[in-house]
Amino acid sequence: MAFFKKFGEKLKNLFSTRKIDESFFEDLEDTLIEGDLGARLTEEITQALRKKAKEEKATSDDLQVLMKSLLSPYLKTLDPKVASDDLTVFMMLGVNGVGKTTTIAKLSKLYSGRGARVLLAAADTFRAAAVDQLEIHAERLGMRIVKQKTGSDPGAVVFDAITSARAQGEDLIFVDTAGRMHNKENLLKELGKIDKVIKAKGIKEENYYRFLVIDATTGQNGLSQAMLFNQVVPLSGIILTKYDSLAKGGALVQIGRMLDIPIAFVCTGEGYDDIRPFDKEEFLNALVGLN
């Protein structure tokens, strides 16, 4: 497995070659903090492992399995469903440069392959390049797109998209949104307005998903992004790009621990088919060096 291989191997070597003593736990703490698990979570894990090692005379294998079980509750998965009798909306969020628009194209192909009739809404109206990029994907995938001129009200684009999708009998709308504006406050205000439009147009909560796209290589910065966006638009799930280049992985655990947001999909390449559901067991085994 390619992602965070070095980190997993470092933990594996630590567990398999070292005597379980105080020096071991000190090195374990350093390793976990380096892996972006954060000081507080690292302390919780090492204290639990210390207790088990003392009370049960646990082996290193026992401690690895325990570590996995301690991390497991913080990681949840999400399998978003498209309603069979109503319109579903995926609002796609994320800072510029994380691969948000390409992720929309991948998901569009995935759900179209499952039988959904897909419409794309170009609500990142502040960058002409963003609209152009989404339009190229729409043409390649043979999907409709709703757009307006650069600088238009993003909420108006979404309003038109929902109206149009209902008229055409489409099942799923992917809403592309801005990732950067002149300042953070304006960006968050615009995202909040789009959220209100979607709700005002009668999209049911169970058919409305807010996904944050995060570059998996950004580590702790991904947690900061999740906290910021979640303040304005309560996030339904996380989608990770560049998952095959993930170096550490601990930030994903922190997102789950602090915000209780599940991980839905991971992207592993540039092709339209390079997306798959997040595999929790695979991730945890790699993280703690069990594979």
Side-chain angles (χ1 to χ4, degrees):
M1 187 180 298
F3 63 84
F4 54 92
K5 186 176 181 181
K6 289 183 179 179
F7 179 74
E9 285 182 348
K10 192 170 184 179
L11 274 182
K12 187 174 183 178
N13 290 335
L14 185 62
F15 278 108
S16 62
T17 62
R18 294 283 300 279
K19 179 182 178 183
I20 308 300
D21 55 15
E22 189 54 32
S23 175
F24 164 83
F25 286 112
E26 289 175 359
D27 286 347
L28 177 62
E29 284 183 352
D30 290 342
T31 303
L32 296 181
I33 289 173
E34 287 173 11
D36 284 340
L37 269 87
R40 186 174 297 180
L41 181 56
T42 292
E43 184 178 1
E44 289 178 12
I45 292 169
T46 51
Q47 289 298 342
L49 295 182
R50 277 190 177 97
K51 183 178 179 181
K52 185 175 180 68
K54 184 177 181 180
E55 292 178 353
E56 304 180 24
K57 297 181 180 179
T59 66
S60 57
D61 289 342
D62 295 332
L63 295 184
Q64 263 182 295
V65 172
L66 175 59
M67 182 176 166
K68 178 183 174 182
S69 70
L70 291 170
L71 295 174
S72 182
Y74 299 128
L75 286 167
K76 298 178 181 178
T77 60
L78 174 66
D79 182 15
K81 304 294 185 183
V82 176
S84 59
D85 58 351
D86 207 348
L87 186 60
T88 299
V89 173
F90 286 11
M91 182 181 180
M92 308 297 290
L93 306 153
V95 300
N96 287 350
V98 297
K100 174 164 41 69
T101 307
T102 305
T103 299
I104 290 173
K106 293 175 181 178
L107 286 172
S108 298
K109 185 177 184 212
L110 178 67
Y111 278 92
S112 178
R114 295 178 180 178
R117 291 162 292 180
V118 173
L119 174 67
L120 307 183
D124 182 358
T125 60
F126 300 95
R127 291 191 308 129
V131 178
D132 292 344
Q133 185 184 7
L134 193 65
E135 192 166 24
I136 289 170
H137 288 308
E139 290 174 358
R140 289 175 179 170
L141 294 167
M143 293 168 184
R144 286 203 317 125
I145 181 172
V146 171
K147 63 175 184 172
Q148 294 186 13
K149 63 181 181 180
T150 304
S152 298
D153 178 9
V157 175
V158 176
F159 184 97
D160 289 349
I162 294 174
T163 302
S164 179
R166 284 180 169 147
Q168 296 293 325
E170 282 151 334
D171 306 301
L172 174 61
I173 301 176
F174 287 95
V175 178
D176 193 12
T177 62
R180 180 168 57 87
M181 288 174 61
H182 298 302
N183 60 60
K184 183 176 67 176
E185 288 73 23
N186 280 351
L187 169 62
L188 299 180
K189 183 179 178 181
E190 289 298 333
L191 296 177
K193 284 171 59 178
I194 294 172
D195 179 61
K196 289 178 180 177
V197 168
I198 293 170
K199 292 174 180 175
K201 287 290 285 181
I203 301 299
K204 297 175 184 175
E205 179 62 27
E206 61 266 29
N207 301 332
Y208 177 29
Y209 296 89
R210 283 89 51 193
F211 288 112
L212 179 66
V213 181
I214 295 176
D215 181 329
T217 65
T218 57
Q220 286 288 328
N221 197 30
L223 172 61
S224 300
Q225 291 168 24
M227 294 178 73
L228 175 65
F229 281 94
N230 194 55
Q231 288 175 8
V232 180
V233 183
L235 298 174
S236 307
I238 301 291
I239 299 174
L240 297 164
T241 60
K242 300 181 184 177
Y243 189 62
D244 51 329
S245 300
L246 183 61
K248 299 176 181 179
L252 300 187
V253 181
Q254 287 213 68
I255 289 173
R257 178 176 179 269
M258 297 178 68
L259 301 174
D260 196 32
I261 301 171
I263 303 168
F265 297 99
V266 296
C267 301
T268 56
E270 295 301 317
Y272 285 142
D273 295 321
D274 294 329
I275 189 168
R276 60 183 173 87
F278 174 67
D279 188 325
K280 174 179 171 176
E281 285 297 304
E282 176 189 63
F283 173 84
L284 283 171
N285 285 338
L287 184 66
V288 303
L290 279 171
N291 57 347

